[in-house]
């Protein structure tokens, strides 16, 4: 160890690596080297606080509170900042294995906190610390500027037509201006696009003398001029349109198109959406998964939050599925009765990033009961097309080809799982109760009413809580760099515990939300979580999603299949430390709620 330069080592670690040179050089001059034998207590809770910031070079340190291990720190991890920021000792610090540490005096640390990025790393609140922690290393060579404002993409004022204009006059105006849409001065305003000409004029056999007010669309869907690119992506995908009027101070100042966004972010979701819309047949489906992976990598490299990326992926998957459903209907003829194509699991919660196993089902109106053969064939075709697009078959068989039936069938299933909560019922309920309708016209309100009844079924809720608490983070003592115990499953140990417990909260509170973060916020509004708990658990969840996505993208780039497991030794020190923080936040939340649920962690 003597041959390793302490200054170079500290400089290589986040957040020191991002410090301006003059600030770091001042700190480097005051850097000390310390050795502390195993069994030493560096500080005791309530005693004299630490006076230095410590960087572990070799050995291990255990953080405890009232005899309970909170965290074990190893090479590259940092401690002492809580004492320095708060001015008091809040936990015990025990040297577990002989410790070689580099340390900075407290007054030097205080000067370094003048740097905002450095200071964010040492936020006292666990939620704030996790929010600022994940340093998104570029995973592709492309790095989109997602901080661009919508107004930066607007190059001309909007073009208007009067309400009495004909479609012929509107077409000439659009051709003259070289635009693909124009606004109509009605109250409220409307919009006429090139798509309207194709579908409502030409395809309908209407002539140029038709008034624009007979074929235009309103009310307008708009986007704020101050919105960033991500907000514009989401607005266009949600609306299912290609043109959005841009508004500032209540006035329309321009028109944003999907083409504008494609030009500004060549690997963004609008490019994938355009490719989906141009699919001519199911033979073009292969390659979709690769395009989504590329887009996710570009967005992550642009520092977009993993949960936001998941929302974009879900919207793109929805667009693809609707196209596949259209093909199946074209092949088999109109459905005998209205149907609803539902997805569940991560796709139902809009939390899927890279494409994973299919989780879907088919519900159809009772009057279609006599044509189950049509719906079976329909499900087979759609599931097969999804598989061709890159969605593998579900190993558990939770796919529409096996799970389809009438609305009455489904309401009876849902009610049976709630009223007679056997272990199998709890298993399938935890899967299907995350459902989300993506295609079809069938109203699923009867299913919503059945799910709402769960709030009044204490036995079902208690068993659901027990099932949720089966998943939990590993004990801090086994989160070591050495040995088999240093490998963790990000999904089983971190993501699933939050997903399952958030579902229990939502069902118990009668909240219809599906998305995990939405469910956590609803739980806080219902008084089931305090604000600090909400912040720490939500940010732990976001951190885990982001870390998993980064690791999976790295594996894909290496030609390997994505997975959920990671060895602590493969993580940089900061990510390793924050992973432990995230696990600790989740474990603490589970322990706090287990008593109320009459369950055990």
């Amino acid at each position: 160890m003597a041959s390793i330069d302490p200054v170079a080592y500290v400089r290589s670690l986040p957040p020191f690596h991002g410090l301006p040179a003059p600030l770091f050089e001042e700190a480097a001059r005051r850097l000390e080297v310390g050795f502390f034998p195993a069994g030493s207590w560096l500080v005791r809770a309530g005693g004299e606080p630490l006076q230095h910031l410590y960087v572990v070079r070799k050995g291990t340190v255990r953080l405890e509170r009232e005899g309970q291990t909170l965290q074990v720190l190893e090479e590259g991890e940092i401690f002492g900042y809580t004492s320095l920021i708060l001015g008091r000792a809040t936990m015990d610090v025990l040297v577990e294995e002989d410790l070689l540490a580099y340390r900075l005096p407290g007054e030097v640390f205080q000067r370094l906190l003048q740097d905002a990025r450095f200071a964010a790393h040492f936020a006292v609140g666990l939620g704030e610390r996790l929010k600022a922690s994940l340093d998104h290393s570029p995973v592709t060579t492309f790095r989109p500027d997602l901080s661009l404002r919508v107004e930066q993409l607007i190059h001309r004022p909007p073009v208007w037509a009067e309400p009495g204009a004909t479609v012929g006059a509107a077409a000439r105006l659009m051709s003259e201006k070289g635009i693909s849409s124009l606004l109509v001065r009605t109250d409220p305003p409307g919009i006429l696009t090139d798509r309207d000409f194709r579908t409502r004029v030409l395809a309908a056999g209407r002539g140029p003398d038709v008034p624009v007010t007979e074929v235009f669309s309103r009310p307008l869907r708009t986007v704020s001029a101050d919105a960033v690119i991500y907000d514009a992506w989401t607005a266009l995908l949600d609306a299912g349109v290609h043109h959005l009027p841009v508004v500032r101070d209540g006035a329309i100042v321009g028109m944003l198109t999907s083409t504008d966004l494609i030009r500004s972010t060549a690997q963004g979701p609008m490019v994938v959406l355009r490719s989906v819309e141009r699919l001519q047949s199911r033979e073009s489906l292969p390659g979709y998964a690769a395009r989504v992976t590329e887009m996710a990598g570009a967005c992550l490299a642009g520092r977009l939050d993993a949960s936001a990326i998941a929302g974009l992926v879900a919207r793109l998957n929805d667009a693809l599925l609707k196209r596949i459903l259209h093909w199946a209907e074209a092949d088999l003829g109109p459905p005998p009765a209205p149907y609803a194509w539902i997805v569940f699991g991560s796709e139902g919660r809009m939390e899927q990033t890279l494409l994973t196993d299919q989780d879907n089902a088919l519900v159809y109106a009772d009057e279609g009961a006599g044509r189950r053969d049509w719906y079976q064939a329909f499900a087979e075709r759609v599931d097969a097309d999804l598989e061709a697009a890159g969605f593998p078959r579900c190993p558990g068989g939770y796919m529409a080809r096996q799970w389809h039936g009438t609305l009455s069938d489904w309401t009876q299933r849902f009610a049976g799982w709630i009223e007679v909560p056997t272990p199998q019922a709890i298993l399938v309920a935890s899967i299907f109760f995350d459902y989300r309708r993506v295609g079809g016209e069938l109203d699923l309100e009867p299913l919503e009413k059945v799910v709402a009844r769960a709030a009044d079924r204490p036995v079902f809720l208690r068993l659901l809580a027990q099932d949720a608490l089966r998943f939990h983070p590993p004990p801090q003592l086994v989160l070591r760099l050495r040995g088999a115990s240093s490998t963790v499953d990000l999904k089983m140990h971190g993501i699933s515990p939050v997903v399952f417990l958030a579902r229990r909260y939502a069902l118990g509170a009668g909240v219809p939300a599906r998305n995990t973060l939405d469910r956590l916020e609803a739980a806080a509004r219902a008084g089931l979580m305090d604000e600090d708990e909400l912040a720490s658990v939500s940010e732990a969840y976001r951190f885990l999603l982001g870390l998993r996505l980064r690791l999976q993208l790295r594996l894909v780039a290496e030609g390997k299949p994505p997975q959920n497991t990671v060895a602590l030794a493969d993580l940089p020190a900061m990510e390793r430390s924050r992973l432990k923080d995230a696990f600790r936040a989740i474990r603490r939340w589970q322990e706090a709620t287990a008593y109320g649920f009459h369950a055990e962690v």
Side-chain angles (χ1 to χ4, degrees), residues 324-552:
I324 290 174
L325 293 173
H326 173 74
W327 290 340
E329 288 187 29
D331 291 344
L332 299 172
Y339 70 85
W341 187 275
I342 62 175
V343 295
F344 35 93
S346 60
E347 187 68 1
R349 299 188 302 272
M350 301 187 78
E351 293 168 358
Q352 189 177 85
T353 47
L354 305 187
L355 303 195
T356 55
D357 301 340
Q358 293 185 48
D359 289 305
N360 51 53
L362 180 61
V363 187
Y364 48 90
D366 289 2
E367 54 265 34
R371 291 296 312 279
R372 292 180 186 267
D373 58 327
W374 189 95
Y375 294 102
Q376 178 68 52
F378 183 75
E380 293 279 358
R381 286 176 185 254
V382 175
D383 282 345
D385 285 348
L386 288 170
E387 188 174 357
F391 296 85
R393 293 192 180 199
C394 174
Y398 293 103
M399 299 166 61
R401 54 165 42 105
Q402 293 173 243
W403 288 85
H404 59 86
T406 66
L407 183 57
S408 292
D409 293 335
W410 281 99
T411 54
Q412 290 171 14
R413 283 172 182 161
F414 276 33
W417 296 335
I418 293 173
E419 303 298 340
V420 187
T422 64
Q424 178 64 19
I426 294 297
L427 170 64
V428 291
S430 66
I431 295 171
F432 281 102
F433 283 12
D434 286 353
Y435 80 88
R436 179 172 62 89
R437 186 180 70 178
V438 177
E441 303 298 328
L442 182 64
D443 184 358
L444 297 180
E445 184 180 0
L447 283 185
E448 289 291 335
K449 289 181 177 179
V450 174
V451 173
R453 281 158 45 186
D456 300 319
R457 300 298 186 271
V459 174
F460 173 79
L461 293 175
R462 185 172 68 251
L463 294 176
L464 200 67
Q466 291 177 353
D467 185 61
L469 294 172
R470 288 190 302 108
F471 299 91
H472 51 76
Q476 290 286 338
L477 286 173
V478 304
L479 291 175
R480 304 295 185 98
L481 288 174
R482 298 179 298 279
S485 61
S486 65
T487 297
V488 297
D489 186 316
L490 297 177
K491 181 178 180 180
M492 183 178 70
H493 290 141
I495 295 172
S496 290
V498 179
V499 168
F500 277 57
L501 204 46
R503 180 189 300 119
R504 161 59 183 84
Y505 270 128
L507 291 173
V511 173
R514 301 292 194 266
N515 179 268
T516 297
L517 292 171
D518 290 344
R519 284 171 164 172
L520 292 175
E521 290 179 2
R525 289 194 300 271
L528 302 174
M529 300 178 71
D530 62 37
E531 288 301 318
D532 288 342
E533 197 170 47
L534 172 64
S536 61
V537 175
S538 296
E539 294 307 330
Y541 184 67
R542 287 190 174 95
F543 173 86
L544 291 167
L545 287 180
L547 179 59
R548 182 179 67 166
L549 179 56
R550 264 188 58 188
L551 296 173
Q552 289 182 338

Side-chain angles (χ1 to χ4, degrees), residues 159-162 167-179 182:
V159 178
W160 292 84
E162 297 303 320
V167 295
R172 288 190 292 274
L173 180 59
M174 290 169 63
S175 178
E176 176 188 328
K177 298 291 186 180
I179 56 178
L182 53 79

Side-chain angles (χ1 to χ4, degrees), residues 31 208 257 289 397 409:
L31 192 66
T257 70
D409 293 335

